[in-house]
Structure formats: structure tokens, C-alpha cells
Amino acid sequence: MRYFLFTAFSVLMVSSVMGQSTKNEIGFTAFYDRVNHSYIKFKGLTKEHLLYKNAFSFQAVYGCHISNTVSLLSGAGYSRRGFRNENTDYSADYIQFSEYVGIEIIDNKMLMVSPYTGIYLGLPVHTGITIKNNDLPDEAGRGKADLGLEGGIRMGIKLDDRYDIHIIPRFQFGLSEVYRKYDFESRRNLAFSMGVGITRKF
């Protein structure tokens, strides 16, 4: 069901773009991430204490402006997610696709500021767990897609009429279960990120 909703949302955004006169842009952003798992404990043992870990991701974005202030953006890239605790370090690598709506609240000769929100879908390509410096195979999180919500702010410093350097603080909150160690729990991805990149309008 979640894959159907993501596909339907993507088709709706593309259809909206094709029916409008647009101003387009492409961009590339590299992110420094602080990642962890949200934790739902249904019953049973004491909740495990999970810690944030460092990760990196990157994303290419194509954007279409359907008005002077509203833009639709589609992104594709790589992300690493996971968690750690005193004895365990878990990582999952994803190819991530995103669909956003942005609203420009500042757009002048020097600056552009645009809050945005949307959804993302991460398709897993690799998972791994390290316990006390020993690499062990992990089956619990393998093959589980990551569907979630994303929000952030694109802040651009304009170099000229075509190029700008942008900074993007963002937050991703997973809606789908990506890891389960015990039957009484369910874990979803969390990520706080800061990105830097470049955008070209055409």
C-alpha cells in the first residue's frame, strides 16, 4: 500500500508540472547526517537505549517552478541509516527517491529561502551489523524499504542569475518498520541532516 501511495503522489506531481509553464533547476547536495531509530515498544522487556551515529548521504534534485513561489522537486540519491548502542553498530544503505513541494518566502538578487516538505522512499541495497568489532550478517533489517516524511529549508546564496550555493537543514522521519530485534518492538529511521550543494537554473 505504501508503494502505491508513493507512486500515486509522484504521478500527481509530474502531471501538475506538465500542465504548467515552468522554470526549471537541477542541483546536487551532500549531507552530513545524525541518524538513529525511533523506537516503539509494544510490551515485554525494558526499552533498549539507542544512540545517534554519524552518516553521510548525497542527492541530485530536479525542480520545476509552477508559479513565482511554488516549486515541485524530485530527488534521487544515496543514504546511510542505522543506530548504535554500547555493543552494536547497525547500518543500512539505501537508494533514496523523494518528492517535495517548496514555497519560496524570500527570493531577491542575493538570497533564496524556501521551506519544503514531502515524502521519500528508500530501497535497501546493503545492511550490516558490527558487534564488538566483529562483522556479522544481519537478517532482521535486510530487504525492508524505508518510507517516510521529510521537511527542511533550502537557503541559497546567488552567485549569478543561474547558479547558487545552497545550505539545507532537513529532518527525515520514517513511517515504515525497517528493523526488529524482538517481537515486542518496532523501529523506524530518524535522520537530522545538514547539507551543502549547488543549484543551476535553466
Side-chain angles (χ1 to χ4, degrees), residues 50-182:
L50 303 181
L51 303 173
Y52 280 87
K53 59 179 288 184
N54 298 325
F56 296 92
S57 58
F58 60 85
Q59 183 182 60
V61 172
Y62 173 79
C64 295
H65 292 252
I66 61 173
S67 73
N68 290 333
T69 58
V70 179
S71 59
L72 305 180
L73 303 105
S74 298
Y78 159 84
S79 66
R80 169 164 287 189
R81 299 291 180 255
F83 71 91
R84 65 182 180 90
N85 57 27
E86 289 80 3
N87 300 311
T88 303
D89 190 318
Y90 173 82
S91 296
D93 297 333
Y94 297 92
I95 300 298
Q96 194 174 90
F97 302 94
S98 307
E99 299 289 345
Y100 315 124
V101 177
I103 300 177
E104 294 183 359
I105 58 175
I106 297 175
D107 187 10
N108 55 42
K109 293 182 178 180
M110 296 181 60
L111 298 174
M112 184 280 294
V113 178
S114 176
Y116 71 89
T117 187
I119 60 176
Y120 71 87
L121 175 65
L123 303 179
V125 293
H126 178 264
T127 60
I129 189 167
T130 301
I131 300 176
K132 294 182 179 180
N133 296 321
N134 292 319
D135 290 331
L136 299 175
D138 174 75
E139 300 296 336
R142 188 179 301 278
K144 294 189 177 181
D146 176 26
L147 177 69
L149 304 176
E150 177 175 334
I153 303 176
R154 301 170 66 224
M155 298 177 288
I157 301 173
K158 296 183 178 181
L159 303 179
D160 55 30
D161 291 338
R162 289 183 177 269
Y163 291 92
D164 68 66
I165 301 295
H166 59 253
I167 299 172
I168 303 178
R170 73 174 184 183
F171 173 64
Q172 290 185 335
F173 179 81
L175 300 177
S176 59
E177 179 184 287
V178 295
Y179 186 94
R180 178 177 290 206
K181 185 176 181 181
Y182 303 108

Side-chain angles (χ1 to χ4, degrees), residues 12-85:
L12 178 62
M13 292 187 70
V14 171
S15 298
S16 299
V17 169
M18 293 180 65
Q20 300 286 341
S21 175
T22 63
K23 179 175 63 176
N24 303 323
E25 64 181 51
I26 56 174
F28 180 85
T29 308
F31 290 94
Y32 165 73
D33 306 313
R34 292 285 289 170
V35 302
N36 202 347
H37 281 176
S38 67
Y39 199 132
I40 300 175
K41 183 176 76 70
F42 301 110
K43 61 182 179 179
L45 301 177
T46 303
K47 190 172 181 179
E48 185 178 352
H49 181 54
L50 303 181
L51 303 173
Y52 280 87
K53 59 179 288 184
N54 298 325
F56 296 92
S57 58
F58 60 85
Q59 183 182 60
V61 172
Y62 173 79
C64 295
H65 292 252
I66 61 173
S67 73
N68 290 333
T69 58
V70 179
S71 59
L72 305 180
L73 303 105
S74 298
Y78 159 84
S79 66
R80 169 164 287 189
R81 299 291 180 255
F83 71 91
R84 65 182 180 90
N85 57 27

